[in-house]
């Protein structure tokens, strides 16, 4: 992914390496007891949006009357056909059932959608032009009907009206590091505010249908143990982890007696992961390196990668699977945890620049299970030999993160992140949770076998 420096659409257009980084960095991290005592924060307008940090949120885009009229017709047609209640400004509410979508500034809301599509829809939320008491519910309705929101004739012309992914976000060797930096290097303290003690930033696996905060650490460790079992990690195993996170998987693999080489592109994650590995007493068994998966050498009995394929980008999927094959020792196995989406929706949106890519994960693309299977088969000898889905578990994981993030709002402020950032992060977590609750998204633990003999 190339450096996106100078891209106006990014919330930190003057320096995308900082993204929505804090304006007042360096403050002390609050204790866990202090963080847990904070009450839920309610968003309130703060008197304005920082136009330097959020240029496309602060300014409503210009739009021709004709384009806005067309957008209004399409949007109102879609909303009236959905199981939603909608209130547009001072107009009478329409829709007899479902969660309530309140549009406070209909003109700005429609102009943003006319110009930016779903990116504009998300930016309108950041600008507080619309809201919902049940944000996950509203977004879930939209996710369940994603394939029919835009009329079929316009869907076929998607390439003419939908924004294209910028070349600046391609996953080249230098670009991948820049894009990872924009998300994962925001602040270790920020992530610690809403993640559990394992600092696991991926789906947990609960032992019942509804999870709780108390159960989350055990559910995260259960997820990790299943992945380690899937790729056969035991005493003496030589393990490669692609995408370190904050080190929990490497620590648990080392506790089994494995020797672990873990690679990441996030300097912040590497620093804290190394600290956690040392504190756990496994510095002699775990090596954490700042390195791209395409630059790793050697052979490993097990290769494990948790929710990292989503950041690879479709054009680099063949290189990713070839790397997995090359790095696998004879008889070894790969275990992936991957977010997936339906194949037809993946193909329809593959070249489209999305709100998530613009504001949260630049350069990313969620694959379909079919894309994983077909890419592995076309470019390697690896084959999917086992898999299991946990989509409902991810919805619960995201609910707990979202609730925790809301509870820690005061400390997010102390870290220097502004109200628009908090609203963006809330939208991101709710948007993701809705995707899993609606079934639009799934998460799979996948075993790949084969490789060199």
């Amino acid at each position: 992914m190339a450096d996106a420096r100078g891209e106006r659409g990014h919330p930190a257009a003057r320096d995308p390496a900082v993204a929505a980084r804090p304006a007042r960095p360096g403050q002390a991290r609050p204790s866990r007891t202090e963080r847990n005592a904070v009450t839920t924060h309610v968003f309130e307008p703060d008197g304005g949006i920082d136009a330097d940090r959020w240029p496309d949120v602060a300014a409503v885009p210009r739009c021709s009357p004709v384009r806005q009229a067309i957008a209004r017709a399409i949007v109102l047609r879609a909303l009236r056909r959905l199981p939603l209640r909608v209130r547009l400004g001072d107009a009478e509410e329409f829709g007899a059932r479902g969660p309530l979508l309140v549009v406070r500034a209909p003109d700005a809301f429609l102009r943003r959608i006319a110009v930016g599509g779903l990116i504009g829809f998300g930016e309108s939320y950041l600008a507080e032009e619309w809201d919902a008491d049940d944000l996950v519910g509203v977004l879930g309705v939209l996710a369940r009907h994603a394939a029919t929101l835009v009329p079929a004739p316009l869907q076929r012309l998607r390439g003419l009206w939908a924004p294209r992914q910028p070349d600046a976000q391609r996953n080249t060797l230098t670009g991948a590091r820049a894009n990872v930096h924009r998300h994962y290097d925001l602040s270790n303290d920020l992530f610690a505010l809403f993640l559990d003690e394992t600092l696991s930033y991926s789906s947990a696996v609960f032992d019942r249908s509804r999870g709780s905060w108390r159960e989350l650490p055990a559910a995260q460790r259960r997820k990790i143990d299943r992945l380690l079992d899937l790729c056969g990690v035991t005493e003496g195993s030589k393990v490669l982890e692609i995408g370190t996170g904050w080190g929990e998987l490497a620590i648990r693999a080392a506790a089994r007696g494995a020797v672990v080489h873990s690679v990441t592109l996030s300097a912040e994650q590497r620093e804290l992961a190394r600290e956690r590995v040392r504190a756990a007493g496994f510095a002699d068994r775990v090596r954490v390196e700042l390195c791209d998966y395409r630059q790793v050498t050697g052979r490993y009995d097990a290769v494990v990668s948790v929710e990292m394929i989503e950041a690879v980008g479709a054009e680099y999927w063949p290189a990713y699977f070839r790397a997995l094959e090359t790095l696998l020792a004879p008889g070894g196995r790969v275990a992936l945890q991957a977010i997936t989406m339906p194949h037809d929706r993946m193909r329809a949106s593959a070249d489209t620049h999305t709100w998530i890519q613009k504001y949260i994960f630049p350069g990313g693309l969620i694959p379909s299970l079919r894309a994983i299977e077909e890419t592995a088969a076309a470019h390697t000898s690896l084959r999917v030999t086992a898999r299991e889905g946990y989509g409902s578990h991810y919805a619960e994981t995201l609910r707990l993160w979202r609730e925790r993030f809301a509870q820690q709002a005061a400390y997010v402020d102390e870290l220097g992140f502004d109200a628009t950032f908090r609203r963006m992060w809330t939208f991101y977590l709710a948007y993701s949770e809705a995707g899993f609750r609606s079934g639009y998204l799934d998460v799979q633990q996948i075993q790949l076998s084969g490789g060199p003999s």
Side-chain angles (χ1 to χ4, degrees):
M1 305 171 193
D3 190 342
R5 195 170 306 279
E7 179 197 345
R8 184 181 182 276
H10 192 272
R14 289 178 173 77
D15 187 355
V18 241
R21 269 166 125 43
R24 306 184 302 278
Q27 299 193 20
R29 175 182 170 185
S31 70
R32 184 171 296 276
T33 301
E34 291 172 326
R35 296 198 308 272
N36 291 353
V38 181
T39 57
T40 301
H41 175 81
V42 178
F43 284 112
E44 296 178 355
D46 65 354
I49 296 167
D50 187 332
D52 288 335
R53 299 177 78 180
W54 309 95
D56 290 350
V57 178
V60 179
R62 294 180 179 180
C63 179
S64 72
V66 172
R67 184 165 185 167
Q68 185 170 345
I70 293 171
R72 180 182 181 87
I74 293 172
V75 170
L76 291 182
R77 173 184 178 274
L79 291 177
R80 291 183 186 281
R81 295 160 68 99
L82 294 174
L84 280 178
R85 292 177 295 126
V86 180
R87 187 182 305 141
L88 288 174
D90 296 329
E92 186 176 343
E93 180 181 309
F94 62 86
R97 60 193 175 96
L100 176 63
L101 168 64
V102 178
V103 182
R104 299 177 179 137
D107 181 71
F109 173 78
L110 291 167
R111 281 166 59 188
R112 289 187 191 271
I113 293 175
V115 173
L118 291 178
I119 291 179
F121 177 75
E123 289 173 341
S124 185
Y125 181 81
L126 268 59
E128 302 190 59
E129 294 159 0
W130 70 268
D131 217 327
D133 288 340
D134 181 5
L135 182 59
V136 173
V138 167
L139 295 174
V141 169
L142 297 175
R144 283 191 294 274
H145 296 84
T148 57
L149 288 175
V150 177
L154 283 180
Q155 287 277 16
R156 289 191 288 270
L157 297 173
R158 186 186 190 95
L160 298 178
W161 57 264
R164 307 280 291 182
Q165 290 193 35
D167 287 341
Q169 292 184 4
R170 291 181 60 241
N171 284 318
T172 63
L173 285 171
T174 55
R177 185 165 297 189
N179 284 337
V180 165
H181 177 64
R182 282 173 55 182
H183 184 80
Y184 293 97
D185 287 343
L186 278 170
S187 164
N188 284 337
D189 289 341
L190 171 69
F191 287 100
L193 287 176
F194 69 92
L195 299 179
D196 69 276
E197 66 191 47
T198 70
L199 292 181
S200 297
Y201 190 36
S202 53
S203 178
V205 175
F206 296 94
D207 61 0
R208 59 196 184 106
S209 59
R210 185 170 175 84
S212 70
W213 183 257
R214 181 180 298 177
E215 296 169 312
L216 186 55
Q220 290 289 6
R221 293 178 177 122
R222 183 180 298 113
K223 172 269 303 292
I224 291 170
D225 290 344
R226 291 189 181 193
L227 284 165
L228 296 178
D229 291 344
L230 205 57
C231 57
V233 175
T234 59
E235 177 82 29
S237 294
K238 188 178 178 183
V239 178
L240 172 66
E241 179 187 22
I242 299 176
T244 305
W246 285 276
E248 187 71 16
L249 187 146
I251 290 168
R252 291 192 73 76
R256 293 188 177 200
V259 176
V260 183
H261 180 198
S262 185
V263 297
T264 179
L265 292 180
S266 167
E268 291 265 335
Q269 285 189 331
R270 178 186 63 166
E271 179 182 359
L272 185 52
R274 284 176 168 178
E275 290 178 12
R276 297 183 75 232
V277 166
R278 284 194 296 270
F282 295 120
D284 60 332
R285 287 185 173 273
V286 178
R287 174 166 60 108
V288 182
E289 184 181 12
L290 200 64
C291 180
D292 191 282
Y293 69 90
R294 290 162 286 195
Q295 298 173 313
V296 179
T297 59
R299 288 288 185 90
Y300 299 85
D301 304 310
V303 180
V304 60
S305 187
V306 181
E307 294 179 27
M308 185 270 179
I309 190 173
E310 303 87 346
V312 168
E315 71 173 304
Y316 295 99
W317 287 343
Y320 177 75
F321 284 102
R322 283 195 294 266
L324 296 179
E325 179 184 47
T326 300
L327 294 164
L328 199 61
R333 292 183 301 204
V334 176
L336 303 181
Q337 183 160 306
I339 300 172
T340 61
M341 66 189 301
H343 190 68
D344 60 338
R345 297 307 303 160
M346 184 207 76
R347 290 188 62 188
S349 61
D351 295 325
T352 302
H353 194 210
T354 66
W355 184 89
I356 285 284
Q357 291 166 336
K358 181 172 179 177
Y359 286 98
I360 306 295
F361 294 113
L365 178 65
I366 293 173
S368 66
L369 180 62
R370 177 177 164 184
I372 291 173
E373 292 173 331
E374 290 182 350
T375 305
H379 298 278
T380 73
S381 60
L382 295 172
R383 298 295 181 270
V384 173
T385 47
R387 66 177 181 86
E388 190 166 0
Y390 297 98
S392 62
H393 296 255
Y394 216 152
E396 284 297 285
T397 305
L398 284 155
R399 175 182 63 81
L400 294 172
W401 291 346
R402 177 175 53 81
E403 292 173 353
R404 195 64 157 193
F405 183 79
Q407 291 167 356
Q408 309 298 356
Y411 290 119
V412 177
D413 290 349
E414 288 182 12
L415 289 173
F417 296 93
D418 65 15
T420 305
F421 176 89
R422 284 189 278 107
R423 195 162 174 87
M424 177 189 75
W425 210 260
T426 297
F427 188 78
Y428 149 57
L429 293 172
Y431 181 97
S432 301
E433 180 184 344
F436 288 100
R437 291 208 185 280
S438 67
Y440 185 83
L441 299 177
D442 198 0
V443 63
Q444 302 272 339
Q445 288 192 345
I446 301 168
Q447 180 191 76
L448 294 158
S449 304
S453 57

